[in-house]
Amino acid sequence: MAASISTAARSGAAILSVLKPVAGQCVKRRTRLFIPARLAHGARSCLYEHVRAGYSDKPELDMRAVCEETDKVVANVESRKGDLRGDDVRQIVCMWQELQAMRTEISELEKEKRHISDMVKALVVKHGKGALANISEYTQSVQRGREIRERLNQLCPREINLDQEFYERALRLPNATHPDVPVGDESQARVVELVGEKKEFDFKPKGHVELGEELGLIRQRHLSHISGHRSYYLRGTGARLQTALQNFALDKLQQRGFIPMVVPDMLKGAVFEGCGMQPNAHRSQVYSLDPARFSDLSLAGTGEVGISGFFMDHAVNFKDLPVRTVCSSTCYRAETDTGREPWGLYRVHQFNKVEMFGVTADETGEESSQLLEEFVCLQKEIFTALELHYRVLDMPTQELGPPAYRKYDIEAWMPGRNSYGEISSGSNCRDYQSRRLNILYEREDGSLQYAHTVNATACAIPRTIIAILETHQTKEGTVRVPRALQPYLGLEVIEKPTCIPLKYIGPNQPNQPPRPSPKTR
């Protein structure tokens, strides 16, 4: 021991190397790019990997509420769909408490280490390097410095691993639930409002597929070899109807002060997870691309993801709130439950949608609820202008996605299906997304506060087409165009085309026509 002390005394750098900042090195390692192995609990967090790679700040989850109201959080988790249960919440709380205790110990050791380092430097100045070996205060300081270093060498790797496991679990917690939300499955949805009347027909109404084929608007047959199951073509007036609906919705929202945006369809998994979607989940609706060619990229199922990414790691000025944005984008859904609605436009892999997204303040706690009500009123204006009968539903707990604090669905009456069908939804996410994606606003005094986010569908094109075709069909087989769409479509009535439909000559038929004979020259 004396020999090692004597060696250390020959160099001030060697003396201080005993006290070099081990924990600081551990902190630096957090910013390096890595792909962690899947842990024992099976969770993997794209968002955490994104943070560890240095692209974004770490999410600041509201663990105070989770720890202080654990029973309430457990009840909320149990009332929702998903694989999380009450024991998972309690384990997350225990991990958080252990992590905080470990960080407190590391912080205290770092503070003591700095104090010892300053004391050793003072002894070197006072006595000189050569006399340090005979000073007991110095030898005790060096010994304590070694003990601190050894303890930090134990704690820092454990803190890093525990931090990773905690976030990979805690990021899966759902949002809190509005106290007025019904508890249960979709059968418990509460009808808030009925708008319009069901249209009465003096004939048996047709479904949208039959109407679309007869009018030359939709083709869904013989496409599996072209674009796979659940694909479709819109043709002629059908294609123009899609454009008309998009422009009609965009015009109405821009007149109300919404900022139009064009958003990317391919986004990183971190943005999906920050929005509350799990791109790596076994039964995820998210389309993930080949990771060998497109690292960590997926196709967006809603414009909400792209707009959220626009605000990620940015602060909005308080005077600009609420920020209302709108985009028209192509959306992609895996639709893994292929037993439901296998035919028609109701459940398809790819479709266009006009999406509203709002960022607002959290000063009174009511700003986002008010913005959601505003969005729902705009949805009602759009569907009333399209002369549809619909109902507004306050959706129950099992129908809320993880980020939703409250969600309203709008279901239009679809006579050909003889049922209501969802054509729109709107959700208040409060600070769930903003805490994960670091979306903040700057107050007038310069302080930062987590924003609240709200999203709502203005027009999901295929389902709105279903409602229009089936609601406004006539006995003659034509479709009356709603007055609000006539300037966009340039038509009052959609009539049967004069051209002869394409004739299928492919192999999947009992009597395939013969191929053309070779030409003679």
Side-chain angles (χ1 to χ4, degrees), residues 355-424:
E355 182 78 4
M356 296 181 279
F357 187 87
V359 177
T360 190
D362 178 25
E363 299 297 313
T364 67
E366 295 301 317
E367 290 92 342
S368 55
S369 294
Q370 293 167 3
L371 190 58
L372 177 61
E373 295 294 336
E374 176 188 325
F375 281 11
V376 172
C377 286
L378 288 167
Q379 290 172 318
K380 289 163 55 181
E381 282 187 32
I382 290 170
F383 301 129
T384 298
L386 296 177
E387 302 168 38
L388 302 176
H389 166 56
Y390 59 89
R391 62 185 185 182
V392 182
L393 303 176
D394 190 359
M395 299 306 291
T397 52
Q398 291 187 27
E399 293 301 305
L400 301 183
Y405 176 68
R406 192 174 201 176
K407 180 165 82 90
Y408 292 109
D409 278 3
I410 293 182
E411 295 183 342
W413 178 251
M414 299 178 178
R417 302 170 81 244
N418 195 34
S419 65
Y420 288 97
E422 180 193 339
I423 58 171
S424 180

Side-chain angles (χ1 to χ4, degrees), residues 85-136:
R85 299 269 67 89
D87 288 342
D88 297 307
V89 176
R90 297 183 185 94
Q91 189 172 16
I92 290 169
V93 170
C94 290
M95 292 177 67
W96 173 251
Q97 292 171 341
E98 181 183 355
L99 187 60
Q100 295 308 104
M102 192 177 296
R103 286 172 174 167
T104 298
E105 183 178 356
I106 289 174
S107 176
E108 291 174 350
L109 288 172
E110 290 282 4
K111 183 178 179 180
E112 184 180 358
K113 179 190 63 167
R114 288 192 296 271
H115 173 71
I116 290 174
S117 178
D118 291 341
M119 186 169 59
V120 168
K121 289 177 182 178
L123 289 172
V124 170
V125 171
K126 182 177 180 180
H127 299 284
K129 298 176 182 178
L132 291 178
N134 299 320
I135 299 174
S136 61

Side-chain angles (χ1 to χ4, degrees), residues 13 23 30 54 56 62 64 79 141 147 159 201 218 258 266 274 281 308 318 344-345 384 412 424 430 455 478 488 508:
R30 293 175 199 166
S56 184
D62 188 6
R64 179 197 57 78
S79 72
S141 296
E147 292 172 358
E159 189 265 341
F201 297 91
I218 302 169
F258 280 71
M266 290 192 299
S308 298
F318 180 77
L345 302 186
T384 298
S424 180
R430 293 176 66 84
N455 65 82
T478 61
Y488 295 90
N508 299 317

Side-chain angles (χ1 to χ4, degrees), residues 75-83 172-186 188-190 275-277 372 393-409 422 425-430 432:
N76 179 52
V77 166
E78 296 282 0
S79 72
R80 293 187 179 224
K81 285 182 180 178
D83 57 351
R172 297 162 60 213
L173 286 171
N175 202 346
T177 305
H178 191 286
D180 293 339
V181 167
V183 177
D185 60 18
E186 60 182 333
Q188 301 303 309
R190 182 169 55 241
C275 287
M277 305 169 191
L372 177 61
L393 303 176
D394 190 359
M395 299 306 291
T397 52
Q398 291 187 27
E399 293 301 305
L400 301 183
Y405 176 68
R406 192 174 201 176
K407 180 165 82 90
Y408 292 109
D409 278 3
E422 180 193 339
S425 67
S427 300
N428 179 4
C429 299
R430 293 176 66 84
Y432 185 90

Side-chain angles (χ1 to χ4, degrees), residues 369-505:
S369 294
Q370 293 167 3
L371 190 58
L372 177 61
E373 295 294 336
E374 176 188 325
F375 281 11
V376 172
C377 286
L378 288 167
Q379 290 172 318
K380 289 163 55 181
E381 282 187 32
I382 290 170
F383 301 129
T384 298
L386 296 177
E387 302 168 38
L388 302 176
H389 166 56
Y390 59 89
R391 62 185 185 182
V392 182
L393 303 176
D394 190 359
M395 299 306 291
T397 52
Q398 291 187 27
E399 293 301 305
L400 301 183
Y405 176 68
R406 192 174 201 176
K407 180 165 82 90
Y408 292 109
D409 278 3
I410 293 182
E411 295 183 342
W413 178 251
M414 299 178 178
R417 302 170 81 244
N418 195 34
S419 65
Y420 288 97
E422 180 193 339
I423 58 171
S424 180
S425 67
S427 300
N428 179 4
C429 299
R430 293 176 66 84
D431 64 356
Y432 185 90
Q433 294 174 335
S434 63
R435 284 182 173 273
R436 286 158 172 75
L437 296 176
N438 294 303
I439 302 173
L440 299 101
Y441 65 92
E442 185 179 17
R443 294 187 175 113
E444 293 182 358
D445 62 1
S447 63
L448 295 176
Q449 175 68 28
Y450 283 103
H452 281 194
T453 60
V454 178
N455 65 82
T457 303
C459 187
I461 304 298
R463 292 188 178 183
T464 307
I465 288 176
I466 293 174
I468 288 173
L469 294 181
E470 295 186 359
T471 297
H472 300 307
Q473 61 181 300
T474 69
K475 192 173 184 177
E476 293 74 26
T478 61
V479 173
R480 184 180 60 81
V481 178
R483 187 174 289 103
L485 278 187
Q486 291 177 10
Y488 295 90
L489 202 58
L491 295 173
E492 295 183 5
V493 177
I494 301 174
E495 298 178 328
K496 294 182 179 180
T498 57
C499 62
I500 297 173
L502 294 176
K503 181 180 180 180
Y504 179 65
I505 57 171

Side-chain angles (χ1 to χ4, degrees), residues 118-273:
D118 291 341
M119 186 169 59
V120 168
K121 289 177 182 178
L123 289 172
V124 170
V125 171
K126 182 177 180 180
H127 299 284
K129 298 176 182 178
L132 291 178
N134 299 320
I135 299 174
S136 61
E137 186 178 6
Y138 164 76
T139 57
Q140 292 172 3
S141 296
V142 170
Q143 179 60 32
R144 179 55 182 160
R146 287 198 178 99
E147 292 172 358
I148 290 174
R149 177 176 173 80
E150 290 172 2
R151 180 58 177 163
L152 289 174
N153 279 333
Q154 295 173 354
L155 287 176
C156 288
R158 286 166 55 189
E159 189 265 341
I160 290 173
N161 291 334
L162 185 60
D163 181 78
Q164 176 181 337
E165 186 170 0
F166 162 75
Y167 271 101
E168 290 181 340
R169 291 174 182 267
L171 286 169
R172 297 162 60 213
L173 286 171
N175 202 346
T177 305
H178 191 286
D180 293 339
V181 167
V183 177
D185 60 18
E186 60 182 333
S187 66
Q188 301 303 309
R190 182 169 55 241
V191 179
V192 177
E193 186 177 2
L194 276 170
V195 180
E197 301 288 339
K198 290 182 183 179
K199 185 173 179 180
E200 298 294 334
F201 297 91
D202 57 359
F203 60 94
K204 183 180 179 180
K206 298 175 181 178
H208 71 282
V209 176
E210 183 180 1
L211 280 166
E213 289 179 339
E214 291 178 354
L215 295 171
L217 311 177
I218 302 169
R219 175 180 156 193
Q220 204 171 26
R221 300 180 190 275
H222 309 301
L223 296 183
S224 60
H225 63 300
I226 298 172
S227 50
H229 185 52
R230 295 184 184 273
S231 57
Y232 61 97
Y233 279 90
L234 294 178
R235 179 177 181 271
T237 305
R240 291 173 58 197
L241 183 56
Q242 169 170 296
T243 304
L245 284 168
Q246 288 179 176
N247 290 338
F248 166 66
L250 287 170
D251 283 352
K252 179 170 282 291
L253 295 175
Q254 288 182 68
Q255 289 166 7
R256 300 300 181 88
F258 280 71
I259 302 169
M261 298 185 70
V262 176
V263 300
D265 295 330
M266 290 192 299
L267 295 152
K268 288 196 171 185
V271 187
F272 284 89
E273 190 174 340

